Amino acid sequence: MVSFALRVRNKFKVKGIHTISIDPSSKLRGCKIIVKGKNNTLHIGANVRLRNSEIELDGNNCTLSIGDNTIIGHGCYLSSREADTSLVIGSECMLSRNVKIMTSDGHDIIRDNQRINIAKGIYISDKVWLADNVTILKGVNVGEHSVIGINSTLTKSVGTHVVAVGNPAKVVHNEVSWRNELTY
């Protein structure tokens, strides 16, 4: 059950029976959370900070999970759509403003009467930094301690300890790490 305080500060639209767990130490302000379909799971871990963003689970058996101590900036859009997709964001990640992460294109693309753009899960490891206006598309994995640069679109998976930039994003540095000065 979602607490009264969370409902007052955020807009929840939940249709159907789902599992929603939001750690009481997390702070959500001005968010829109939509969960519809069947048997979806939303998990928001401890000490998560999420402001003026949208979370969407739309389908059946979808999962969206945000790990402990993750910070998500204004205008972000996190979407796990269709059937059996997962969007997992690890612990101690930082998503700057206007980040978009989507497991689906939102509409079917058909060739020879077959759909060619099937939804796929996304996994973002611990301690990943996504800069302003980054887009992460379906089927992508991001390795721990990686940085995706401003205005980049990540269409393919990247390993650990890398910096990737561009549209489409390409790895430009290896063996890097980063730290959030706001936590010191």
Side-chain angles (χ1 to χ4, degrees), residues 45-88:
N47 300 308
V48 170
R49 303 293 180 259
L50 183 66
R51 296 192 84 182
N52 300 324
S53 292
E54 184 173 343
I55 293 175
E56 175 188 51
L57 286 101
D58 184 1
N60 299 325
N61 304 309
C62 295
T63 300
L64 198 151
S65 178
I66 302 171
D68 297 345
N69 304 305
T70 289
I71 299 168
I72 299 176
H74 292 69
C76 291
Y77 175 70
L78 310 175
S79 174
S80 182
R81 295 188 70 185
E82 298 194 33
D84 304 310
T85 60
S86 293
L87 191 168
V88 177

Side-chain angles (χ1 to χ4, degrees), residues 104-117:
S104 168
D105 298 331
H107 300 287
D108 298 356
I109 299 174
I110 309 298
R111 181 176 57 206
D112 298 325
N113 292 322
Q114 296 290 320
R115 184 171 178 203
I116 61 172
N117 65 330

Side-chain angles (χ1 to χ4, degrees), residues 10-154:
N10 303 283
K11 182 178 178 184
F12 284 83
K13 185 176 182 180
V14 179
K15 292 183 179 179
I17 299 172
H18 308 281
T19 303
I20 298 174
S21 66
I22 301 172
D23 190 277
S25 65
S26 290
K27 293 186 179 170
L28 284 70
R29 300 280 190 279
C31 295
K32 181 178 178 183
I33 298 171
I34 300 167
V35 184
K36 54 187 175 175
K38 295 179 184 172
N39 197 37
N40 295 313
T41 302
L42 172 63
H43 170 76
I44 298 176
N47 300 308
V48 170
R49 303 293 180 259
L50 183 66
R51 296 192 84 182
N52 300 324
S53 292
E54 184 173 343
I55 293 175
E56 175 188 51
L57 286 101
D58 184 1
N60 299 325
N61 304 309
C62 295
T63 300
L64 198 151
S65 178
I66 302 171
D68 297 345
N69 304 305
T70 289
I71 299 168
I72 299 176
H74 292 69
C76 291
Y77 175 70
L78 310 175
S79 174
S80 182
R81 295 188 70 185
E82 298 194 33
D84 304 310
T85 60
S86 293
L87 191 168
V88 177
I89 300 171
S91 296
E92 298 184 36
C93 291
M94 185 166 61
L95 281 63
S96 296
R97 293 172 297 272
N98 303 313
V99 171
K100 290 182 176 60
I101 306 173
M102 303 169 289
T103 63
S104 168
D105 298 331
H107 300 287
D108 298 356
I109 299 174
I110 309 298
R111 181 176 57 206
D112 298 325
N113 292 322
Q114 296 290 320
R115 184 171 178 203
I116 61 172
N117 65 330
I118 304 298
K120 296 178 185 168
I122 296 170
Y123 182 77
I124 298 171
S125 299
D126 295 340
K127 200 97 164 126
V128 169
W129 175 14
L130 304 177
D132 287 6
N133 303 309
V134 164
T135 300
I136 307 286
L137 298 180
K138 63 185 182 186
V140 168
N141 295 326
V142 181
E144 65 183 19
H145 294 275
S146 291
V147 178
I148 311 303
I150 194 166
N151 296 321
S152 295
T153 299
L154 199 54

